[in-house]
Amino acid sequence: MPFSLILDVTVAVLLVVTIGYAIVLNGKLSRLRNDRVELESLGETFSASVLRTEQGLRRLKQTAEDLQDNITKAESLREDLAYLIDRGGVAADLLVEQVRQSRGAPGGEKVEGAEKTAKRASSGGGFAVREDGGDAAWRKRDRDRDKASDKTDDTAREASSDAERELLKALRSVR
């Protein structure tokens, strides 16, 4: 066999292998092009998702700030209510002390305003006063809130001591 024939056969075999490789490579490239379109679509979807997530985070931060403001306001209101309750307790203690003084004042003299308070307490129409200074008045007020609101307006007109007026004012502001 001549050398040129061997060389031609070798080149032909290499060309067949190269053509086969080119066909396989062409198939892979066409799949890659198809996948690239899907990848671009996936990238756009991912980008849109990232934007929605950022907007959601901004709204969440704003909601958290609003919630913190509401919590701050609620704490302030809670402190105000605690102050009013303490103040009402002091006023109630003063009323109880005035009632006790009016019942046991020497010479039958009554402390100013305490006589009306004592009458309301003894008739059951107002506050119930216990000798140990407990909170029966507050429990009764809670049970009879609707009835007491009408009586409170009448009581406000009758109230003659500063302690009574202060207590009634505190009770109205709590409602």
Side-chain angles (χ1 to χ4, degrees), residues 84-96 126-130 133-145 148 163-164 166-172 174-175:
L84 289 173
I85 289 170
D86 289 342
R87 183 119 178 181
V90 168
D93 291 343
L94 288 172
L95 284 174
V96 168
F127 297 106
V129 178
R130 293 186 342 194
D135 62 343
W138 299 108
R139 285 194 301 268
K140 177 161 180 56
R141 182 187 60 85
D142 289 340
R143 282 192 310 266
D144 301 329
R145 179 171 288 216
E164 287 175 312
E166 208 170 78
L167 175 61
L168 293 172
K169 184 178 177 182
L171 289 174
R172 284 189 194 113
V174 171
R175 290 185 198 158

Side-chain angles (χ1 to χ4, degrees), residues 56-75:
L57 285 174
R58 277 189 235 116
R59 284 191 306 240
L60 184 63
K61 285 179 183 178
Q62 183 63 40
T63 302
E65 290 173 3
D66 293 344
L67 185 59
Q68 185 61 42
D69 291 343
N70 287 344
I71 289 172
T72 303
K73 289 176 185 176
E75 287 175 351

Side-chain angles (χ1 to χ4, degrees), residues 26-127:
N26 188 32
K28 288 185 179 183
L29 285 174
S30 66
R31 279 193 305 243
L32 183 61
R33 283 186 201 112
N34 291 338
D35 289 345
R36 190 184 101 220
V37 171
E38 284 184 29
L39 185 61
E40 287 176 355
S41 171
L42 182 64
E44 291 172 2
T45 304
F46 182 72
S47 177
S49 296
V50 168
L51 289 175
R52 283 195 312 264
T53 303
E54 288 175 354
Q55 291 172 349
L57 285 174
R58 277 189 235 116
R59 284 191 306 240
L60 184 63
K61 285 179 183 178
Q62 183 63 40
T63 302
E65 290 173 3
D66 293 344
L67 185 59
Q68 185 61 42
D69 291 343
N70 287 344
I71 289 172
T72 303
K73 289 176 185 176
E75 287 175 351
S76 173
L77 288 174
R78 182 182 54 91
E79 291 170 1
D80 290 346
L81 286 174
Y83 171 76
L84 289 173
I85 289 170
D86 289 342
R87 183 119 178 181
V90 168
D93 291 343
L94 288 172
L95 284 174
V96 168
E97 186 60 36
Q98 285 182 353
V99 169
R100 287 182 184 155
Q101 287 177 1
S102 70
R103 289 181 181 164
E109 297 176 14
K110 303 287 184 187
V111 177
E112 182 181 328
E115 182 177 56
K116 293 177 186 175
T117 305
K119 286 179 185 177
R120 282 193 307 270
S122 64
S123 69
F127 297 106

